[in-house]
Amino acid sequence: MIKVLIERHIMPGLEQDYEQASREVVREAMHAQGFISGENLVEGGRPGHRIVITSWRDARAWQEWSVSNARERMMARLGPMLSQPERIVMLEHT
């Protein structure tokens, strides 16, 4: 199993729109082969700083989702709300 950490910075005033769209992304990912779980987190005191942590069966499952049409559609909606590109880190157990 792997975890994928996605860091996003939301433009001020778009936090509520982001929340709705982000939940839809996780719902869509739930249908992807190899998806295990996902969390959307906000950093205390920084409402525009979000962390998404997802668990996947393996790196291949994540990679397939990361380039899927479904994720591309979701990111077309989320992307304009971001003040900088998202940062993605794939983490493996040691």
Side-chain angles (χ1 to χ4, degrees), residues 1-3 55-56 90-94:
M1 180 177 75
I2 66 158
K3 295 207 182 262
S55 298
W56 296 85
M90 186 170 29
L91 305 164
E92 300 177 2
H93 293 275
T94 58

Side-chain angles (χ1 to χ4, degrees), residues 26-55:
V26 172
R27 276 194 294 269
E28 188 74 27
M30 289 171 51
H31 301 291
Q33 288 289 332
F35 178 84
I36 297 170
S37 66
E39 297 178 81
N40 287 312
L41 307 166
V42 61
E43 181 179 350
R46 292 181 63 196
H49 187 217
R50 305 304 168 93
I51 302 291
V52 178
I53 301 172
T54 56
S55 298

